[in-house]
Amino acid sequence: MLRHLLATTAIVAAISTAAVAGETSAMKDGGQAGASDDTGVYEFELHTLAPDTTTGILATNMVGKPVVTSRNAEGEEIGDINDVVFGRDGSVHAVIVGVGGFLGIGEKEVALDFARLNFVAGEDKRLIVVSDVSRQELEAATAYERPDYIPYWMTTEGAREQMDKVTENARSTYETVRKEAIDPARQQLDEAMSTGWTEEKTEVDAASVSTDELIDSTVYTNQDTNIGEVAEVLIGKDGKAQAVVIDVGGFLGFNAKPVAVAFNSLKMFETENGDLLVTAPFTKEQLENAQTYEPATYKANPDAVLLKG
């Protein structure tokens, strides 16, 4: 069915974009995905192999965060942290700060002593990175030269940029799928629903229609208005069809409301093209206002759930 094919396409595109964006957010936030502000870092408690817990800040959480001269409104942003340098003893020696440029292009990198950084408490447990260094001091400092044996793409900042590119490509792909497939399909379905059914039809015995034929068939009102699709056929104790579950509303199967309708209230026809046409003596409003089908409730008391003609 076209509806299921397009639904799958939309899901894949949406999940791809969301997953990649989520991974990028996690890299930037150091595991604090969902944080409302991306300008601060977070200190957390963790267990290591030592008996006592310790606290710390992830290096990946610091990458991309701004260094400011003050947490107050008049504080000046002097650059972004691109990398972290630590010694063999585990102590952090410096951070690599990108100064100037635009969106990382044409910026100058400077190694800033870690001792010149302070972590000042902000809102929502965020820590703001503050330094006593000025922008002029950083701009006048010797530029940091990345070692030749460490390619830029292997650095945390380089990896972050690559993830940003992947995210943007995924977002672009989704937009293409939406414009070229989903939107045209939505328009086609809207046009089909508004024009109703115009082909000649011949009524057939409902008992001759198989369950496979009935599943996914479109249900119309007696006035040829599309009201949903058959999602399930409910069989009674006698082995005969007792009811059908119609998915009402939604788009491409999303957010549809399942409604149980008595099987004997349906009429079935064969069109001049040999297609199955199902009608029900209910308005769209009646189905939308009917009780939502739930298997447990239906099993306990079918009459309380079933919509009868």
Side-chain angles (χ1 to χ4, degrees):
M1 297 290 291
L2 175 63
R3 177 172 69 91
H4 297 305
L5 176 61
L6 291 175
T8 303
T9 304
I11 289 172
V12 170
I15 288 178
S16 298
T17 302
V20 173
E23 290 173 6
T24 306
S25 175
M27 174 174 284
K28 290 182 179 180
D29 293 336
Q32 296 291 336
S36 60
D37 196 311
D38 197 34
T39 61
V41 298
Y42 295 83
E43 187 174 34
F44 63 98
E45 187 178 87
L46 72 156
H47 293 273
T48 66
L49 297 180
D52 299 325
T53 59
T54 186
T55 57
I57 299 170
L58 291 175
T60 50
N61 188 196
M62 294 182 63
V63 171
K65 301 303 167 64
V67 179
V68 298
T69 57
S70 170
R71 63 159 294 181
N72 299 324
E74 63 272 14
E76 179 188 9
E77 184 175 318
I78 56 179
D80 292 332
I81 298 174
N82 287 346
D83 220 327
V84 180
V85 181
F86 60 92
R88 293 187 180 184
D89 61 353
S91 61
V92 178
H93 291 177
V95 292
I96 307 303
V97 179
V99 183
F102 178 69
L103 297 179
I105 301 174
E107 71 177 10
K108 169 187 176 181
E109 288 191 321
V110 176
L112 176 61
D113 295 300
F114 192 75
R116 299 193 66 177
L117 298 182
N118 288 304
F119 295 89
V120 180
E123 298 178 357
D124 301 325
K125 298 183 179 180
R126 285 187 298 118
L127 296 176
I128 300 171
V129 184
V130 179
S131 177
D132 61 354
V133 69
S134 66
R135 177 185 291 274
Q136 292 74 19
E137 189 178 354
L138 284 175
E139 290 176 348
T142 303
Y144 163 75
E145 296 293 337
R146 192 172 300 277
D148 293 337
Y149 52 83
I150 303 180
Y152 180 70
W153 65 268
M154 292 182 63
T155 66
T156 51
E157 177 66 11
R160 184 165 68 96
E161 288 184 6
Q162 291 303 314
M163 287 300 297
D164 287 343
K165 292 180 182 178
V166 172
T167 301
E168 183 57 36
N169 289 338
R171 187 177 293 111
S172 176
T173 299
Y174 171 73
E175 286 300 317
T176 300
V177 171
R178 181 182 64 79
K179 291 178 182 179
E180 297 184 2
I182 298 176
D183 287 351
R186 182 192 292 271
Q187 183 177 354
Q188 276 188 327
L189 288 176
D190 289 343
E191 291 175 354
M193 291 174 68
S194 63
T195 55
W197 198 275
T198 58
E199 294 184 49
E200 294 294 327
K201 54 185 183 291
T202 304
E203 187 169 359
V204 298
D205 182 5
S208 67
V209 178
S210 69
T211 299
D212 289 341
E213 289 179 290
L214 198 53
I215 295 294
D216 285 339
S217 61
T218 303
V219 183
Y220 293 83
T221 66
N222 292 332
Q223 288 75 37
D224 292 343
T225 300
N226 182 325
I227 54 178
E229 290 189 354
V230 177
E232 187 177 351
V233 178
L234 305 177
I235 307 299
K237 295 181 180 179
D238 58 358
K240 298 180 180 180
Q242 183 179 38
V244 297
V245 177
I246 301 176
D247 282 341
V248 180
F251 176 69
L252 298 180
F254 298 112
N255 299 321
K257 173 184 178 181
V259 176
V261 173
F263 186 81
N264 58 15
S265 68
L266 303 177
K267 287 187 177 180
M268 302 185 193
F269 302 86
E270 182 178 346
T271 71
E272 57 189 6
N273 292 327
D275 296 325
L276 177 66
L277 171 62
V278 182
T279 65
F282 309 107
T283 65
K284 190 172 183 179
E285 290 71 25
Q286 285 178 306
L287 287 167
E288 289 174 344
N289 295 326
Q291 183 173 338
T292 300
Y293 165 74
E294 295 180 358
T297 305
Y298 178 83
K299 185 176 181 180
N301 186 7
D303 291 334
V305 180
L306 206 56
L307 195 61
K308 301 178 180 180

